[in-house]
Amino acid sequence: MLILGIVGGEKSLDEGAATLWLNEYNHLASSVYNERVQASWNYYTNLTDHNQHLMVKAELVFSRFEQEAYRNASIFDWKKMNNETIKRLMKTISYMRLPEEEVKQTENLRNRITQVYSTAEVCGDGTDRCLLLEPDLQNKFAESKDWDELSRLWKGWRDETGRKMKSDYEAFVKLQNKAAKLNGFDDNGHRWRAKYETEDFPQLCEKLWNQVSPLYVQLHAYVKRQLKKTYADNIDGFPDGGHIPAHLLGNMWGQTWDNIFDLVVPFPDKQTVDVTSALQQQKYNATAIFRLSEDFFESLGLDPMPEAFWEHSMITRPTDREVVCHASAWDFYNQNDFRIKMCTEVTQESLLTVHHEMGHVHYFIMYKDQPVMFRRGANSGFHEALGDLISMSVVTPKHLQLIGLLEESPEDNETELNFLMKRALERLSFLPFGYLIDQWRWSVFSGETDIDSYNRKWWELRCKYQGISPPVSRSESDFDPGAKFHIPNNTPYIRYFISSVLQYQFQRELCNISGHTGPLHRCDIYGSKEAGTKLRNMLMLGQSKPWPDALEQLTGQREMDATAIIDYFRPLMEWLKEQNAGHDLSWEEECPHGSFTSGSNSLISTMFSLLLPVIYIVLL
Ligand code: X8Z
Ligand code: ZN
């Protein structure tokens, strides 16, 4: 890499030289980044030891390169320079790496736990076949109404994932913290939060949560009552404290509830708003769903996917090898190779995820001409919001009718409430989940929560914010956070919470620009070149400006706020309040008694269970 001879050990304030150096860095970085992503892609789409070995090797090359860049960048006194762009770029480059041995250890731990998660199967339901998360367990959770079966699978998944990675996770946390501290952060949580460039980021999150939590409370109360009707035979399984047993919500983590729409639909005789069966009847496959999504983005004037996208993406689960199925979008940093990896199913849920992933790729395409270090979302929440923003239009009855997935789109109140309930199950249900995951991680990184209380803390947050409780008793032998992809994969999660608020803020503005009148939830921006241009201009910025600038460019506002999501769901909230009148809305902050047993490690609990018969005999 270009090294500048600076005489006398004085740091340089020469902005011209800094710009030259940054150009050189950018040039080299795009190929080093490309090789690193290529190696990860090869591993994630074919989980072999060989590919893992090559990926760790590429990670080491990358880390060496970044360490050298860090050393070179420190030749400049960039903090004192005037040019904001130089300062911003230098700041992202100035990150010190751990010694190679520890980089290797970190990567090995990460790979081991990701592999445990991605290859886990739940066996033993009496049939020969073991169940994979995608699609088997996901389908079971979407379809089964059998309390015991769901409970068994819920526990089975956690036995096969989290329980097998707890100590590796602890070691991984320590290394992450070490790297963060090396760079002046208090811990790795501090490092993650700093990326939001916001004075008191947790306070902002809490402000947003306080704005939206009343909506969640209404939904929770209504859904719980309907579930009690469905599971009347298991009524004793509903805790007195008002929590919902976590296995009944149509999703392995209870993070989105749209799969139980049929149990909570406000007006069952009115038109269905779920297009799963229409997609299947019309013989949609993965490619057709992706093409549908591509068409929407194009209607706004955004680019079609490059040929390489179709050639290289993995959009269905291969049958001949193990892969990481969890959907993701990949930027190869060479300005034309962008891919999606997804095990697409033909369902409405998949339709939303396809748009979500396509949103990421469009962001990649829009900022591809920025320097490598700015090829990111204005903040990660922006990146997560784009595709969801588009699907907000796609799923409106009017749009679904336009593309032939609904026969009609009546605008009577009852059909509208059915539609909004579906949206609430897809989006409002997610809010506390999106908020709590990183509260757990921040507390783990800061040391406030150590390995002896990992699982207890997890359930404290799940009970408190989501109002859900475990269907079977948990202990510290379990590690339930590890049963959720982003924990083993070490992907920050608060971005999804931020996105859940931002996407409505974006939508409100784009709907205005597109000339929409009437309620926000009916707005479909399909075909609006004006909205597309506005969006494009914001996306092109990447991370070159602080996020409030990007937000202002699109919406005229510099602050995130949740009033748009409240507007969107207003008619449903009024209806829910009527339905819930006279019913208890709250749940206890603490988990139900007995849902968590102490027994700090598996050795103690194993010894205890071995001793039980002995104790029993002695007592007799
Ligand atoms: O992980 C994802 C995307 C990839 S960025 C599929 N999501 C979160 C999750 O699945 O838990 C999207 C919504 C939340
Ligand atoms: Zn995403």
Side-chain angles (χ1 to χ4, degrees):
M1 190 184 303
L2 190 73
I3 310 242
L4 295 148
I6 308 283
V7 224
E10 283 276 301
K11 286 197 174 208
S12 166
L13 276 167
D14 183 341
E15 296 194 351
T19 306
L20 272 180
W21 183 83
L22 282 167
N23 287 343
E24 177 71 5
Y25 169 83
N26 190 51
H27 176 68
L28 296 171
S30 50
S31 83
V32 178
Y33 273 66
N34 176 268
E35 272 162 35
R36 176 195 195 211
V37 177
Q38 187 71 58
S40 296
W41 173 269
N42 292 345
Y43 176 62
Y44 274 63
T45 57
N46 189 6
L47 293 169
T48 63
D49 289 346
H50 177 68
N51 285 344
Q52 183 179 140
H53 175 73
L54 294 180
M55 181 172 71
V56 174
K57 229 168 113 183
E59 192 61 38
L60 285 173
V61 171
F62 174 77
S63 159
R64 234 169 270 157
F65 171 80
E66 291 288 84
Q67 183 63 16
E68 195 186 335
Y70 163 80
R71 249 186 279 120
N72 285 350
S74 50
I75 289 166
F76 296 101
D77 205 356
W78 53 268
K79 284 186 188 154
K80 293 208 187 110
M81 291 181 182
N82 295 320
N83 183 311
E84 286 302 325
T85 305
I86 296 181
K87 283 204 267 192
R88 245 180 123 63
L89 283 169
M90 287 290 191
K91 192 172 161 198
T92 54
I93 293 169
S94 299
Y95 190 73
M96 232 188 292
R97 305 283 144 172
L98 286 173
E100 280 198 11
E101 199 36 51
E102 285 175 321
V103 172
K104 223 189 280 175
Q105 277 172 24
T106 313
E107 291 316 303
N108 287 338
L109 286 164
R110 185 209 300 271
N111 295 337
R112 214 154 62 207
I113 51 190
T114 296
Q115 189 146 359
V116 165
Y117 183 92
S118 295
T119 58
E121 291 179 331
V122 178
C123 307
D125 67 342
T127 62
D128 306 339
R129 224 167 61 79
C130 296
L131 303 180
L132 292 161
L133 178 66
E134 294 188 40
D136 309 321
L137 292 168
Q138 283 188 351
N139 289 343
K140 283 277 187 200
F141 272 78
E143 284 152 22
S144 173
K145 304 285 182 274
D146 177 339
W147 178 289
D148 294 332
E149 178 183 46
L150 288 168
S151 175
R152 187 179 69 74
L153 297 176
W154 187 95
K155 176 176 179 307
W157 176 248
R158 284 155 181 80
D159 286 348
E160 292 305 318
T161 54
R163 253 175 119 97
K164 297 189 171 169
M165 62 175 78
K166 191 170 178 181
S167 59
D168 274 353
Y169 187 76
E170 187 199 26
F172 185 63
V173 165
K174 284 193 178 136
L175 285 161
Q176 293 272 299
N177 273 343
K178 196 164 176 192
K181 285 177 184 164
L182 199 62
N183 288 282
F185 296 104
D186 298 340
D187 60 69
N188 196 49
H190 182 203
R191 180 170 84 89
W192 282 3
R193 292 190 298 276
K195 289 187 198 294
Y196 284 86
E197 302 181 291
T198 302
E199 188 64 42
D200 191 346
F201 183 60
Q203 200 182 10
L204 168 62
C205 296
E206 194 178 306
K207 177 195 105 173
L208 297 174
W209 169 244
N210 288 334
Q211 278 184 291
V212 294
S213 64
L215 280 64
Y216 179 76
V217 167
Q218 295 290 342
L219 182 68
H220 180 280
Y222 184 74
V223 166
K224 183 173 60 189
R225 275 207 314 287
Q226 301 310 104
L227 285 173
K228 282 186 169 175
K229 287 183 202 160
T230 305
Y231 292 96
D233 291 346
N234 301 86
I235 201 75
D236 293 344
F238 285 83
D240 295 338
H243 303 93
I244 299 178
H247 62 313
L248 306 181
L249 293 160
N251 176 280
M252 179 59 87
W253 310 275
Q255 70 179 65
T256 43
W257 305 349
D258 36 315
N259 285 323
I260 57 158
F261 179 64
D262 54 333
L263 306 184
V264 302
V265 55
F267 301 98
D269 299 335
K270 288 286 171 165
Q271 181 186 261
T272 170
V273 286
D274 189 290
V275 297
T276 299
S277 57
L279 286 167
Q280 291 171 355
Q281 268 162 21
Q282 294 182 30
K283 305 266 179 294
Y284 266 83
N285 59 15
T287 310
I289 298 179
F290 273 84
R291 287 288 182 194
L292 191 66
S293 173
E294 183 186 39
D295 173 70
F296 197 110
F297 284 93
E298 273 191 76
S299 86
L300 302 177
L302 302 185
D303 300 350
M305 289 294 114
E307 256 326 294
F309 171 85
W310 297 108
E311 237 170 76
H312 299 308
S313 288
M314 183 201 99
I315 60 171
T316 50
R317 180 195 265 279
T319 49
D320 59 343
R321 57 187 196 268
E322 288 183 315
V323 300
V324 175
C325 257
H326 190 90
S328 52
W330 299 60
D331 182 355
F332 282 70
Y333 294 97
N334 63 2
Q335 302 178 306
N336 62 46
D337 195 350
F338 312 101
R339 305 182 193 175
I340 285 174
K341 175 185 68 56
M342 178 171 169
C343 299
T344 314
E345 293 285 296
V346 181
T347 60
Q348 170 149 350
E349 204 175 346
S350 243
L351 178 77
L352 295 182
T353 307
V354 167
H355 284 83
H356 176 96
E357 297 307 328
M358 289 291 260
H360 286 308
V361 176
H362 276 282
Y363 219 146
F364 300 154
I365 296 176
M366 285 297 107
Y367 58 48
K368 70 180 169 43
D369 297 322
Q370 289 283 354
V372 168
M373 301 316 286
F374 287 161
R375 290 187 211 164
R376 295 176 191 167
N379 68 39
S380 309
F382 280 62
H383 226 301
E384 297 304 334
L386 177 57
D388 290 3
L389 162 79
I390 299 303
S391 59
M392 222 181 287
S393 291
V394 174
V395 298
T396 56
K398 207 171 97 219
H399 190 83
L400 291 175
Q401 190 190 19
L402 180 80
I403 57 179
L405 287 173
L406 272 189
E407 275 169 18
E408 47 183 356
S409 63
E411 287 192 350
D412 64 280
N413 284 349
E414 298 185 344
T415 312
E416 199 136 293
L417 286 166
N418 280 355
F419 166 69
L420 278 174
M421 176 61 89
K422 185 84 196 310
R423 294 302 290 155
L425 297 172
E426 284 161 353
R427 297 285 181 242
L428 285 186
S429 62
F430 178 77
L431 294 164
F433 188 77
Y435 183 40
L436 74 84
I437 303 273
D438 278 354
Q439 287 196 55
W440 180 82
R441 255 187 311 208
W442 294 340
S443 128
V444 166
F445 283 134
S446 76
E448 180 200 312
T449 298
D450 65 12
I451 188 164
D452 294 330
S453 45
Y454 275 178
N455 216 32
R456 177 180 293 279
K457 177 72 180 182
W458 176 257
W459 280 105
E460 264 173 39
L461 294 165
R462 295 265 274 168
C463 291
K464 175 177 169 184
Y465 287 107
Q466 282 185 283
I468 67 175
S469 58
V472 287
S473 178
R474 313 310 287 154
S475 77
E476 286 304 338
S477 308
D478 302 302
F479 179 54
D480 296 328
K484 173 68 198 164
F485 175 79
H486 300 68
I487 302 290
N489 197 250
N490 205 36
T491 309
Y493 210 82
I494 197 74
R495 56 182 60 175
Y496 302 109
F497 176 68
I498 297 294
S499 153
S500 303
V501 171
L502 272 179
Q503 58 193 253
Y504 293 87
Q505 235 174 313
F506 294 168
Q507 176 75 346
R508 181 165 59 187
E509 190 55 31
L510 294 180
C511 290
N512 282 340
I513 294 169
S514 71
H516 171 79
T517 51
L520 187 56
H521 62 266
R522 273 194 216 153
C523 168
D524 170 15
I525 61 170
Y526 186 77
S528 171
K529 299 282 184 292
E530 295 80 4
T533 305
K534 191 89 179 179
L535 196 54
R536 171 189 280 270
N537 290 340
M538 193 269 286
L539 300 175
M540 281 169 68
L541 290 176
Q543 212 182 33
S544 62
K545 296 270 160 43
W547 66 259
D549 292 7
L551 184 59
E552 187 173 22
Q553 174 147 345
L554 185 69
T555 68
Q557 290 172 279
R558 293 186 64 79
E559 299 213 344
M560 294 188 210
D561 94 276
T563 49
I565 187 170
I566 296 169
D567 279 356
Y568 185 97
F569 285 106
R570 195 177 307 282
L572 179 69
M573 279 309 123
E574 279 162 17
W575 184 82
L576 280 175
K577 277 183 198 155
E578 280 168 28
Q579 302 301 310
N580 289 333
H583 292 279
D584 189 6
L585 289 181
S586 59
W587 58 88
E588 281 172 10
E589 198 169 309
E590 278 94 49
C591 287
H593 184 69
S595 57
F596 202 89
T597 52
S598 34
S600 61
N601 63 45
S602 48
L603 188 65
I604 293 179
S605 54
T606 316
M607 274 165 51
F608 189 68
S609 57
L610 287 175
L611 280 174
L612 259 186
V614 181
I615 298 170
Y616 185 62
I617 292 166
V618 170
L619 282 179
L620 273 179

